[in-house]
Amino acid sequence: MMGTSIQLVVDGLAMGSVYGAIALAIVLVNQSTGMINFAQGGMAVLSAYLAFTFLGLGLPLIVAILLSVAASFIIGALIERFLMRRFMGRAEDTQVVVTVGLLTLLTGICGWLWSYNNLQFPSLFPSSAFTFLGAAISWRSFGTFLAIAGIMVLLQLLFRQTKLGLALRAVADNRQSASFAGLPVGRLLMVGWGLAAALGAVAGALVAPRLSLTPGMLDTTLVYALAAVILGGITSPVGVVVAAWLIGVLENLAAVYVPIIGHDLKIAVPFILLFVVLLLRPQGLFGRKTVVRV
């Protein structure tokens, strides 16, 4: 019984790390530009396909991933410059529709160029496992968990301790005031989207070996990631990752120990959590309240 529970928690943390990877990229875009990027999953999938293509050229895995990260940064910056900037200052609903359309476009491009067949993407970590308190933990899951935890800490430091992070937050909060203060708003917006795309490339490389590489690989994951963003608070990288881990663990435990839910209805778990948290703490578990003067 104890061994089963530990195994469910470990597997939940591993799956939660997958949700957290995309959630972190969504937070990065929001904290850099003030937008919610629904195309983040599609951008991560495109990055994974780029890495797969570099692998096909005979490059080592780590080199292929690094090249896809660099290429993704450029693609993200260009998307901001030539697409998203055209809708700067428009209604938020319009910007959301644009990112949803971008998601559809990127998914179609991936299917057109690489087909819709399942492709096997190699993992950075060995496929073997080790035993801890009666639970079998794969090095792949453990490595993904550590990687997401490390990225979470780095993002928190970026936005709290560096001049670049503070400048990105200033632009997201008030572009006009940031411009008056002498900040290069346009370049910072490009950097924000580029960094989010690069983070998405890392997420894609971590997720693809677990899910298999397809154009729609992250469609379901994006739903969980958005739930984690709302639960944890969109202003907190630590919060969204903790929320993603919480979702992964609770849905695993509920699927086994709550008969009325089971494996078929476990997707309802994050939405139940959302309902409860939004009632008690609308800004999320780790988010901060915002005061708007009218």
Side-chain angles (χ1 to χ4, degrees):
M1 184 70 174
M2 180 61 71
T4 301
S5 298
I6 294 174
Q7 187 69 61
L8 290 171
V9 170
V10 168
D11 291 343
L13 288 173
M15 203 61 216
S17 296
V18 174
Y19 308 151
I22 302 301
L24 279 175
I26 293 173
V27 168
L28 180 53
V29 168
N30 180 264
Q31 290 295 282
S32 304
T33 67
M35 290 180 57
I36 302 291
N37 182 18
F38 286 88
Q40 192 61 60
M43 294 170 69
V45 171
L46 176 61
S47 302
Y49 273 112
L50 290 176
F52 184 82
T53 301
F54 292 137
L55 276 173
L57 299 177
L59 297 175
L61 177 59
I62 187 64
V63 175
I65 292 175
L66 290 176
L67 285 176
S68 75
V69 169
S72 298
F73 180 90
I74 295 172
I75 291 171
L78 291 177
I79 286 174
E80 192 287 323
R81 177 62 183 86
F82 294 105
L83 177 63
M84 301 311 303
R85 195 170 300 183
R86 294 176 180 271
F87 300 92
M88 184 184 298
R90 303 283 184 89
E92 292 183 0
D93 293 346
T94 302
Q95 296 176 348
V96 167
V97 171
V98 171
T99 61
V100 172
L102 179 60
L103 170 62
T104 305
L105 175 63
L106 292 175
T107 301
I109 289 174
C110 290
W112 175 51
L113 293 177
W114 289 282
S115 83
Y116 288 88
N117 298 326
N118 290 357
L119 301 176
Q120 295 303 313
F121 192 93
S123 175
L124 284 167
F125 310 104
S127 57
S128 56
F130 64 94
T131 303
F132 178 74
L133 295 178
I137 304 174
S138 72
W139 285 106
R140 181 178 298 176
S141 297
F142 186 64
T144 302
F145 174 83
L146 290 182
I148 297 306
I151 293 172
M152 170 189 72
V153 172
L154 290 176
L155 272 187
Q156 192 76 0
L157 292 175
L158 171 68
F159 286 120
R160 299 291 177 87
Q161 304 294 334
T162 68
K163 291 182 178 180
L164 174 61
L166 294 174
L168 289 172
R169 289 176 60 188
V171 170
D173 288 340
N174 193 315
R175 293 175 187 172
Q176 188 173 18
S177 295
S179 178
F180 289 155
L183 294 176
V185 173
R187 274 181 287 175
L188 286 170
L189 290 172
M190 292 177 67
V191 168
W193 273 78
L195 287 175
L199 177 55
V202 176
L206 292 172
V207 173
R210 186 180 182 92
L211 302 179
S212 81
L213 184 57
T214 63
M217 173 180 71
L218 294 177
D219 288 351
T220 303
T221 303
L222 180 63
V223 175
Y224 283 103
L226 289 169
V229 167
I230 298 172
L231 278 174
I234 199 166
T235 59
S236 172
V238 173
V240 298
V241 173
V242 172
W245 288 336
L246 184 64
I247 289 171
V249 171
L250 288 182
E251 77 166 350
N252 265 11
L253 293 174
V256 174
Y257 294 121
V258 183
I260 196 174
I261 292 180
H263 290 280
D264 293 333
L265 294 177
K266 69 177 185 179
I267 194 172
V269 171
F271 299 104
I272 295 173
L273 283 174
L274 274 178
F275 179 75
V276 173
V277 170
L278 289 178
L279 280 178
L280 301 177
R281 190 174 169 82
Q283 70 269 32
L285 296 174
F286 295 84
R288 64 177 186 268
K289 292 183 178 180
T290 56
V291 178
V292 179
R293 295 181 177 179
V294 294

